[in-house]
Amino acid sequence: MSDTIRNMTFRASILTLYPEMFPGPLGLSLAGEGLRKGLWSLDTHQIREHGIGRHRNVDDNPAGGGAGMVLRCDVLAAAIDAAVPAEDTRPRLLMSPRGRPLQQAMVRDWAVGPGVVIVCGRFEGVDERVIEGRGLTEISIGDYILSGGEMAALTLLDACVRLIPGVMGKVASGEDESFENGLLEYPHYTRPREWEGRGLPEALLSGDHARIAKWRRAEAERITRERRPDLLKAHGQG
Ligand code: SAH
């Protein structure tokens, strides 16, 4: 897609208790250059500004007892309402280990849209009522527990931003990548031609493009079968 038919810039709005964590690593390398060039934009919103009382409290004890603290629904809703106008059509995501696992197809959809609003949880999580009350979609970056949603948000954003036209150098890179065609990627090689007694696969030296493509496809299938048979099943190839 060219910049001219793309009539909006991808914009990320982040609600967090740690706005200093952004853009963080996304301020460097190609994502950072894209940010400086205005190919995408980022705004952060401090949830604590909507905290309660002199101490701006944002969390409280879990109803029903138990360990840890829970982010208050009223505080989070006030932060969301202040940061995101009701007519804003961007998906409102809540980083959460209970969420739908993040996948490349979701990233691709978001990357061509107007952007995303991301709420970063902390403590034991957020009061359940705000999830429904503000239409948040829970997204997980994997089956493990982080201390907060910020790194998960950075991960999600990195995946989106690299797909924005102009951010990555070559448009072609990306098309054959893992997950794009239901397969993990084939192995890569570069110089030197021989290293510690290891040579290069013969097909890659043949100069025969059809043979190279066939070899890559076969390797991608072999690796996917060995490591992620679930992907083959999901694409009806299993
Ligand atoms: N008690 C919760 C975990 C809270 S971790 C539970 O057992 O489900 C604190 C915050 O970190 C969460 O609110 C969420 O925003 C973020 N987080 C932790 N692990 C995550 C993951 N795998 N994916 C996305 N966000 C995560």
Side-chain angles (χ1 to χ4, degrees), residues 31-159:
E33 270 170 48
L35 188 56
R36 283 184 293 280
K37 283 189 198 154
L39 298 175
W40 67 288
S41 75
L42 174 77
D43 41 80
T44 54
H45 304 269
Q46 173 54 277
I47 295 167
R48 196 168 295 285
E49 281 174 17
H50 303 273
I52 310 285
R54 198 160 60 86
H55 295 293
R56 299 252 171 246
N57 287 328
V58 297
D59 57 328
D60 212 326
N61 298 308
M69 302 296 271
V70 176
L71 256 166
R72 290 177 59 124
C73 51
D74 51 351
V75 170
L76 204 46
I80 294 169
D81 294 344
V84 190
E87 64 274 14
D88 194 318
T89 59
R90 290 176 295 167
R92 299 168 173 210
L93 311 178
L94 169 65
M95 302 320 300
S96 158
R98 294 187 328 193
R100 209 172 138 200
L102 182 64
Q103 290 200 326
Q104 190 65 17
M106 299 152 79
V107 166
R108 229 185 287 120
D109 283 348
W110 294 328
V112 296
V116 288
V117 175
I118 306 181
V119 178
C120 300
R122 278 272 155 182
F123 321 115
E124 289 308 316
V126 310
D127 185 311
E128 189 74 17
R129 292 170 290 181
V130 74
I131 300 176
E132 206 182 300
R134 289 297 178 275
L136 305 180
T137 302
E138 292 176 80
I139 302 292
S140 168
I141 64 158
D143 293 344
Y144 41 79
I145 306 293
L146 303 169
S147 53
E150 288 77 10
M151 302 240 234
L154 287 166
T155 299
L156 185 155
L157 277 182
D158 181 68

Side-chain angles (χ1 to χ4, degrees), residues 1-9 37-39 164-167:
M1 186 189 301
S2 77
D3 284 345
T4 45
I5 61 167
R6 190 190 168 82
N7 56 4
M8 58 209 160
T9 304
K37 283 189 198 154
L39 298 175
I164 293 170
V167 170

